[in-house]
Amino acid sequence: MSYQICDADKTKFGRYGGRFVPEILMQPILEVTEAYERLSKSKEFRANLEGLLKNFAGRPTPLYHAKNLSKELGRKIYLKREDLVHGGAHKLNNTLGQALVAKQMGKTRLIAETGAGQHGVATAIVGANLGFETQVYMGEVDIERQKMNVYRMELLGAEVIPVRSGSRTLKDAINEAFRDWAASFEHTYYLFGTAAGPHPYPSMVRDFQSVIGLEAHKQIMEEEGRLPDCIAACVGGGSNAMGIFAPFLKDNVRLIAVEAGGRGLGRTDKTADNGASLGCGTDGVLHGALTKILQDPFGQILESYSLAAGLDYPGVGPELAFLKETGRVLPKMADDKTALQGFRQLSRLEGIIPALESAHAVGYALQEPEALGELAIINISGRGDKDLATVMEYETL
Ligand SMILES: *Cc1c(COP(=O)(O)O)cnc(C)c1O
């Protein structure tokens, strides 16, 4: 389940990545690195994870030939159905993997950050199932915006801790979680939600999400006898995109990373008005890694924006930053309106309501079908039930 494009000490992708963290966090981070390196080679660990992925998460997910969308776009389109994973998104692939690492390390408590609440819910699910005490840091603004997910986490037995610092959103929740971890790592594991953060998280999260691409690789060969011309996936931090891209990196397949174009107005001085760190960002350090981030000329992090809460992050995983720079991954943008078209069209044409995040990839495909070639896969990272209120509110504006 792995491949590597790393430097000698394997913490970086080209110049991106690394471990830009306070000294106090080096010990827990090195412990996680050591444990993951050991466990990723263990047959027993893999068998354990595969069992949970199959019987608890519902894998493998189908690779579905979307006949009506194909007709609309004049090419053959398959959808990788991560919306069918337990919990409604790809997130559980990662939380199951990391929770098993935490178990093996003898930890009894999980902490996590969450923005929209999706990663918090996926962490609460594994916390309940595998018997951890679970606490989730969440910005006060997000708690107000995402009441249903707060309630879900509480139902699942997790405690949601409100974060009142900074902009009271995701980036502040991550800072608080690291602060907690510095004082609690003896018994606590920090379960990071995307393919970003300090090494080993970008590699570990990519590996756990690679199950998406490994399945898709096999499934498309079975169905078509050849690889696709193109794969499109949405990008927040980059975990569903890296998950489906990784097993295709050495192949002749165009990889398109669709970021949030936001309101489509361009950036102002205090906000970037989008979540497009790969396409619009510049080099800087955020949450322990050198990567592409949305920042002002003084290095202050800009507030990102997207109608899709899961794409509303001012950074991106370092491996994607590297793959953009080498030209292997092409960053593209879909704004709110384009995403809503994707949301409506996929619902109407295929009877599948996608997450607003995934709808960015669908919307991009509707807008630039030629970029997809003759045969393409779109990753449907999650289902859209969580987004109905947002869409209803937007449409009545
Ligand atoms: C969280 C989320 C995303 C964005 O996160 P990545 O790490 O970039 O994948 C995308 N889609 C859905 C459904 C999500 O829940």
Side-chain angles (χ1 to χ4, degrees):
M1 211 204 251
S2 73
Y3 83 103
Q4 298 280 347
I5 311 179
C6 286
D7 57 341
D9 65 355
K10 293 190 179 155
T11 70
K12 288 185 183 160
F13 308 94
R15 71 172 180 279
Y16 295 108
R19 290 182 177 118
F20 296 84
V21 296
E23 198 59 36
I24 182 90
L25 283 174
M26 279 310 280
Q27 190 187 329
I29 283 175
L30 289 173
E31 259 182 46
V32 174
T33 310
E34 185 281 320
Y36 178 60
E37 275 173 12
R38 180 166 48 81
L39 292 168
S40 59
K41 292 179 202 113
S42 151
K43 277 208 178 109
E44 197 188 331
F45 178 83
R46 280 180 190 223
N48 209 347
L49 177 56
E50 274 162 26
L52 283 168
L53 286 173
K54 178 165 179 248
N55 299 312
F56 185 63
R59 304 207 72 92
T61 60
L63 184 71
Y64 171 68
H65 175 207
K67 293 189 188 66
N68 303 322
L69 182 66
S70 297
K71 203 166 163 203
E72 177 82 15
L73 296 180
R75 57 213 71 228
K76 203 161 187 183
I77 308 288
Y78 282 84
L79 305 176
K80 184 59 176 160
R81 299 288 311 275
E82 293 303 294
D83 56 309
L84 297 177
V85 175
H86 175 45
H90 67 293
K91 295 235 161 45
L92 194 66
N93 303 326
N94 170 46
T95 56
L96 275 174
Q98 286 197 56
L100 285 183
V101 170
K103 253 279 114 104
Q104 289 299 315
M105 292 174 74
K107 307 295 179 189
T108 55
R109 173 175 175 256
L110 298 178
I111 52 171
E113 80 294 342
T114 199
Q118 296 301 104
H119 175 59
V121 170
T123 303
I125 288 174
V126 298
N129 190 263
L130 298 171
F132 289 94
E133 178 195 344
T134 305
Q135 287 177 322
V136 179
Y137 285 91
M138 189 170 186
E140 252 183 353
V141 171
D142 291 330
I143 288 180
E144 195 48 45
R145 288 195 286 204
Q146 306 286 342
K147 288 197 185 112
M148 282 300 180
N149 275 339
V150 173
Y151 188 58
R152 273 189 195 103
M153 287 183 261
E154 287 168 356
L155 268 179
L156 291 159
E159 187 190 345
V160 178
I161 305 178
V163 174
R164 300 191 174 89
S165 57
S167 55
R168 295 175 290 144
T169 59
L170 177 60
K171 79 171 166 55
D172 314 289
I174 296 177
N175 293 337
E176 283 306 317
F178 274 123
R179 228 162 265 152
D180 178 317
W181 204 29
S184 64
F185 60 80
E186 216 168 294
H187 59 282
T188 296
Y189 180 92
Y190 182 9
L191 207 164
F192 200 74
T194 188
H199 180 77
Y201 288 104
S203 304
M204 178 166 61
V205 175
R206 172 207 62 212
D207 287 349
F208 286 137
Q209 292 292 359
S210 291
V211 67
I212 306 172
L214 289 169
E215 285 174 11
H217 205 285
K218 194 164 152 245
Q219 289 165 322
I220 196 82
M221 287 306 290
E222 277 166 11
E223 287 294 319
E224 294 290 327
R226 75 159 175 113
L227 294 178
D229 299 318
C230 173
I231 300 174
C234 67
V235 172
S239 71
N240 86 88
M242 278 316 303
I244 194 162
F245 291 168
F248 291 89
L249 280 175
K250 294 196 183 87
D251 300 314
N252 185 20
V253 176
R254 176 183 293 177
L255 304 173
I256 297 181
V258 185
E259 294 189 289
R263 296 182 191 86
L265 302 172
R267 72 167 74 171
T268 62
D269 55 347
K270 288 226 175 62
T271 92
D273 202 54
N274 63 39
S277 10
L278 206 53
C280 305
T282 48
D283 286 7
V285 169
L286 179 64
H287 300 136
L290 177 69
T291 186
K292 296 222 177 275
I293 60 178
L294 300 171
Q295 59 187 330
D296 71 11
F298 307 102
Q300 297 297 311
I301 306 299
L302 292 169
E303 258 179 65
S304 55
Y305 164 79
S306 173
L307 190 61
L311 304 185
D312 193 352
Y313 180 57
V316 66
E319 189 169 15
L320 276 173
F322 169 72
L323 292 169
K324 179 217 164 168
E325 190 146 289
T326 62
R328 184 67 193 88
V329 165
L330 306 170
K332 298 284 177 184
M333 269 192 253
D335 62 16
D336 289 352
K337 236 173 128 187
T338 307
L340 282 166
Q341 275 159 7
F343 188 84
R344 292 199 158 276
Q345 284 278 62
L346 198 68
S347 304
R348 272 291 179 88
L349 288 171
E350 298 291 346
I352 297 168
I353 303 174
L356 264 179
E357 291 83 6
S358 328
H360 282 71
V362 178
Y364 169 77
L366 289 166
Q367 226 165 41
E368 286 185 37
E370 327 76 52
L372 304 179
E374 289 303 309
L375 177 64
I377 300 175
I378 302 174
N379 198 27
I380 304 300
S381 53
R383 65 170 185 238
D385 307 54
K386 67 181 178 57
D387 298 313
L388 297 183
T390 307
V391 172
M392 278 168 68
E393 200 176 311
Y394 187 95
E395 306 268 284
T396 54
L397 279 182

